[in-house]
Amino acid sequence: AEIIRGISLFEGLAPSEIDGVLCVCERAQFERGACLMRQGQPAESAFILESGSVEVMTRLPGGGETGVAALGPGSVIGEMALLDSGLRSATVVAREPAAGYFLERDGFHMMLAQRNHAAFTIQARITRALCQRLRNRGFLLSFLDEALLDPHADRDAAGYPRPGQGRGEQHAALRPRQQ
């Protein structure tokens, strides 16, 4: 469980708080090729990968699947399930023997109902991470939209459309800040 303590989701929590979270988790082991989660199935838990590696895959519109990420020890997978009761957005398969902990939504919500500090900290961190992913995805989609609509737009050295080039002005506000 030492790798669990190094995961950013648990950063700054006392060892006793982490142990409290692990008490409501279920340990699981998977052989190479085993499916941990399947796209489209109900999402009822997150998985904390302690050892091994997994591949995250998503279905393609025309059929088949494509790999979108390879994750290793310390990764938290399917954490959105702790916040809502939607469907899995991807399939996760063990690339090699893998082990970790399933944190069920019901157990997590029980901790929240008990006003558990660790649960509130984890919930806030998941929410921030999901918001950041949405921002990044929105920026990427708007940038791709601009490139598809006007592939010949005047661009700066970083490849961003210059302000004043039609819809390019919206991207100036979304551009990462220069330090």
Side-chain angles (χ1 to χ4, degrees):
E2 190 58 38
I3 196 161
I4 300 300
R5 299 182 200 296
I7 296 174
S8 63
L9 199 60
F10 300 110
E11 187 178 323
L13 295 178
S16 61
E17 291 178 306
I18 295 170
D19 290 342
V21 173
L22 292 178
C23 280
V24 299
C25 290
E26 184 178 326
R27 180 114 170 101
Q29 295 184 331
F30 298 93
E31 295 299 320
R32 181 180 188 272
C35 182
L36 285 72
M37 303 171 184
R38 186 162 307 283
Q39 185 174 352
Q41 290 184 342
E44 299 170 348
S45 63
F47 187 72
I48 303 162
L49 185 60
E50 184 177 38
S51 65
S53 64
V54 298
E55 183 167 9
V56 181
M57 300 178 298
T58 188
R59 286 189 210 115
L60 296 170
E65 291 183 319
T66 187
V68 294
L71 304 173
S75 297
V76 180
I77 306 157
E79 65 273 22
M80 199 179 318
L82 298 178
L83 304 181
D84 79 347
S85 56
L87 301 177
R88 295 282 184 203
S89 60
T91 296
V92 180
V93 176
R95 297 174 66 188
E96 60 184 324
Y101 300 89
F102 277 108
L103 175 55
E104 300 288 329
R105 181 178 48 255
D106 290 344
F108 185 70
H109 283 198
M110 178 187 69
M111 292 176 70
L112 289 170
Q114 294 170 347
R115 302 229 172 271
N116 180 290
H117 173 263
F120 281 108
T121 300
I122 291 167
Q123 181 183 44
R125 289 178 178 167
I126 290 171
T127 301
R128 278 195 301 274
L130 293 174
C131 288
Q132 186 61 47
R133 285 186 208 159
L134 283 172
R135 278 189 204 98
N136 291 345
R137 182 171 287 155
F139 173 76
L140 178 61
L141 290 175
S142 64
F143 184 76
L144 289 173
D145 182 47
E146 179 72 28
L148 291 172
L149 288 175
D150 189 1
H152 305 292
D154 186 26
R155 300 183 185 283
D156 64 17
Y160 295 102
R162 292 188 191 279
Q165 298 294 315
R167 295 174 28 143
E169 287 188 39
Q170 73 186 43
H171 296 293
L174 298 174
R175 188 181 302 191
R177 292 183 195 171
Q178 300 296 321
Q179 305 225 0

